[in-house]
Amino acid sequence: MATAFYQNFKLGILGGGQLGRMMIQSAIDFNIDIGVLDPDAQAPCKHLATYFQVGSLTDFDTVYQFGKNYDVVTIEIENVNTEALKQLQSEGVKVFPEPEVIALIQDKRAQKLFYQQHHIPTAPFILTEKQADLYQHLSFLPAVHKLGREGYDGRGVQKIRTEEEIKNGFDQPGLLEKLIDFDKEISVIVARNEQGETKTFPVVELVFHPEKNLVEYLFAPAQISAETENKAEAIAREVIQKLGMTGLLAVEMFVTKSGEVLVNEVAPRTHNSGHHTIEANVTSQFEQHIRAILNMPLGSTTTKVPAAMVNLLGEEGFTGLARYEGLEKALALEGVKIHLYGKKMTKPFRKMGHVTIIDQNSERLKEKVKQVKSSLKVIA
Ligand SMILES: Nc1ncnc2c1ncn2[C@@H]1O[C@H](COP(=O)(O)OP(=O)(O)OP(=O)(O)O)[C@@H](O)[C@H]1O
Ligand SMILES: [Mg+2]
């Protein structure tokens, strides 16, 4: 039986941002007490966690002392002290995802080598130690230079198309990856519990703005062929099984113009590309994560209704106390659901919330995305 239903069971989360906040919403239904550690005294989980502790996620002693109080420890961000987690594990605390898996994924170089060793399809790459190394690989261009560690939300990624652009490369250990002229970017969220039961969510598609090169919204289920869908789901399953990981894993992939599916990167936690599952699937990604790490049977991932998800980012030019302009107009549309993360202050591009839109008709869905995007703004 899942020990989570014994009296006094406690789950600890490293990180108290929006992902932790949505995890708590699911944990409440399982009647599970949650403790959260986050460096920010105003973190989104502050008022929702049963216990909230302010402290560094990367400091050995802080993570170790926090973790000692819990039966199971999990994460909502990868940048945590994995040595402390290994120590906790050796003392009997369950840590999911496993510390070794978090450590592997923290390093994009190790991650790529893992795909190579396990014959998981991924873009060709070369490891680099410093910026000057890039000059030795001119014939490998156009490429993408990626920082080995601590890149996040695209900050550790630079396109290097020509010799002139090498000056934008990183002067720290990284990897140079072939630029993929992809047809689509997709994501598959897969879960695995301690017994090895594995389930994938239907494929999600990242829809890019036709002119600006940025993700406009996410669409689920992806509009791709059954063949591509099967390939993507099989790859996601393979990755989590080969990692031997317990918990939830988001697998970001490219679909090339010739129909190949390549793994870009993974995140061993709940993910932005799974937010729509709260409304659109029988089980949400947050519930699935809890089921997986507490060794419960995994829930059905069946899609109930097509959905789109729009991130609510802080508008450019506004910094300060957040205000949500156009909220009522957006909410008046049928099938529009708002999620605000409880962040007091906005700044340009800060993730302040998201909007999920559900509609049985995919054309109407896309129309509503446009309406929401044009009316709803986070300003100060
Ligand atoms: N080899 C590649 N070819 C073409 N585009 C790429 C390649 N690698 C990355 N990109 C683009 O850059 C984006 C960010 O890259 P990646 O996911 O590796 O970095 P990240 O910093 O972890 O980003 P995020 O946190 O937003 O997921 C990808 O979503 C994709 O659009
Ligand atoms: Mg990414």
Side-chain angles (χ1 to χ4, degrees):
M1 183 189 142
T3 54
F5 301 112
Y6 297 166
Q7 292 298 325
N8 304 325
F9 175 88
K10 283 200 237 157
L11 172 65
I13 313 178
L14 299 179
Q18 62 265 22
L19 299 175
R21 185 171 163 111
M22 290 184 270
M23 206 190 298
I24 291 173
Q25 289 180 311
S26 271
I28 288 170
D29 289 333
F30 288 110
N31 191 32
I32 290 166
D33 277 349
I34 288 205
V36 167
L37 176 68
D38 194 282
D40 179 1
Q42 302 304 325
C45 286
K46 184 188 175 187
H47 297 295
L48 301 171
T50 317
Y51 317 94
F52 181 77
Q53 185 184 326
V54 179
S56 163
L57 299 173
T58 52
D59 177 63
F60 183 98
D61 287 329
T62 310
V63 171
Y64 174 71
Q65 293 300 339
F66 169 82
K68 275 207 307 194
N69 304 311
Y70 296 91
D71 300 287
V72 175
V73 171
T74 191
I75 58 167
E76 60 119 53
I77 181 167
E78 297 91 297
N79 194 13
V80 296
N81 190 301
T82 52
E83 289 309 312
L85 293 178
K86 283 179 194 163
Q87 183 63 33
L88 288 165
Q89 198 182 40
S90 73
E91 292 174 16
V93 176
K94 294 208 169 196
V95 181
F96 298 131
E98 292 76 1
E100 298 75 17
V101 175
I102 303 171
L104 178 92
I105 292 170
Q106 280 175 345
D107 185 347
K108 278 200 175 170
R109 291 150 53 102
Q111 220 189 103
K112 288 290 279 191
L113 290 168
F114 175 85
Y115 302 141
Q116 198 174 52
Q117 277 157 16
H118 291 88
H119 309 287
I120 292 159
T122 191
F125 67 100
I126 296 166
L127 298 185
T128 57
E129 303 305 322
K130 53 187 189 302
Q131 195 187 66
D133 291 355
L134 300 178
Y135 290 100
Q136 290 163 25
H137 305 294
L138 293 177
S139 63
F140 196 75
L141 305 183
V144 178
H145 198 213
K146 297 187 179 181
L147 203 54
R149 289 179 171 275
E150 288 170 35
Y152 197 61
D153 279 343
R155 265 173 285 161
V157 175
Q158 275 294 340
K159 282 193 182 144
I160 313 277
R161 291 191 186 79
T162 60
E163 187 172 353
E164 288 68 54
E165 286 178 354
I166 287 180
K167 62 177 188 302
N168 302 328
F170 302 101
D171 204 15
Q172 286 166 62
L175 64 105
L176 190 66
E177 190 176 286
K178 277 272 186 214
L179 182 74
I180 304 297
D181 182 20
F182 54 79
D183 182 36
K184 286 192 171 179
E185 257 190 278
I186 58 172
S187 164
V188 174
I189 292 178
V190 57
R192 186 171 172 273
N193 68 15
E194 247 184 300
Q195 283 157 21
E197 183 192 7
T198 303
K199 267 190 187 161
T200 55
F201 280 90
V203 184
V204 175
E205 175 177 351
L206 284 67
V207 182
F208 280 79
H209 189 279
E211 285 111 51
K212 304 174 209 166
N213 187 31
L214 46 87
V215 179
E216 251 207 301
Y217 61 94
L218 275 72
F219 193 87
Q223 296 182 317
I224 51 176
S225 69
E227 194 194 337
T228 304
E229 190 183 323
N230 292 338
K231 254 193 229 175
E233 290 186 0
I235 290 172
R237 244 174 237 282
E238 195 186 346
V239 176
I240 202 167
Q241 280 162 2
K242 288 193 171 152
L243 284 170
M245 188 197 126
T246 306
L248 205 73
L249 183 77
V251 186
E252 298 179 14
M253 296 178 254
F254 301 125
V255 182
T256 68
K257 296 206 162 130
S258 58
E260 260 183 302
V261 178
L262 305 174
V263 173
N264 173 29
E265 61 159 355
V266 298
R269 52 167 171 79
T270 56
H271 195 254
N272 198 250
S273 65
H275 289 351
H276 65 285
T277 57
I278 295 172
E279 287 91 1
N281 296 71
V282 174
T283 306
S284 78
Q285 64 164 343
F286 301 98
E287 178 180 344
Q288 195 75 311
H289 180 69
I290 288 173
R291 286 180 179 240
I293 63 172
L294 302 185
N295 209 21
M296 297 181 211
L298 298 179
S300 160
T301 57
T302 301
T303 299
K304 294 189 287 188
V305 55
M309 193 283 297
V310 177
N311 284 315
L312 253 184
L313 304 179
E315 195 72 14
E316 261 189 288
F318 295 92
T319 300
L321 272 183
R323 287 197 299 123
Y324 301 88
E325 191 182 81
L327 201 54
E328 291 196 2
K329 202 174 161 198
L331 286 174
L333 293 168
E334 192 175 319
V336 169
K337 308 285 275 185
I338 186 98
H339 297 258
L340 300 181
Y341 298 155
K343 299 178 185 176
K344 245 188 179 151
M345 307 302 257
T346 183
K347 59 183 177 194
F349 305 111
R350 185 170 195 206
K351 276 184 187 152
M352 301 298 288
H354 74 263
V355 179
T356 301
I357 308 157
I358 53 171
D359 199 309
Q360 293 293 352
N361 179 298
S362 61
E363 288 316 306
R364 246 187 349 239
L365 194 51
K366 288 173 187 174
E367 193 44 49
K368 285 180 191 167
V369 168
K370 278 192 200 138
Q371 288 175 276
V372 167
K373 283 192 73 99
S374 65
S375 59
L376 191 51
K377 302 256 180 311
V378 189
I379 58 172

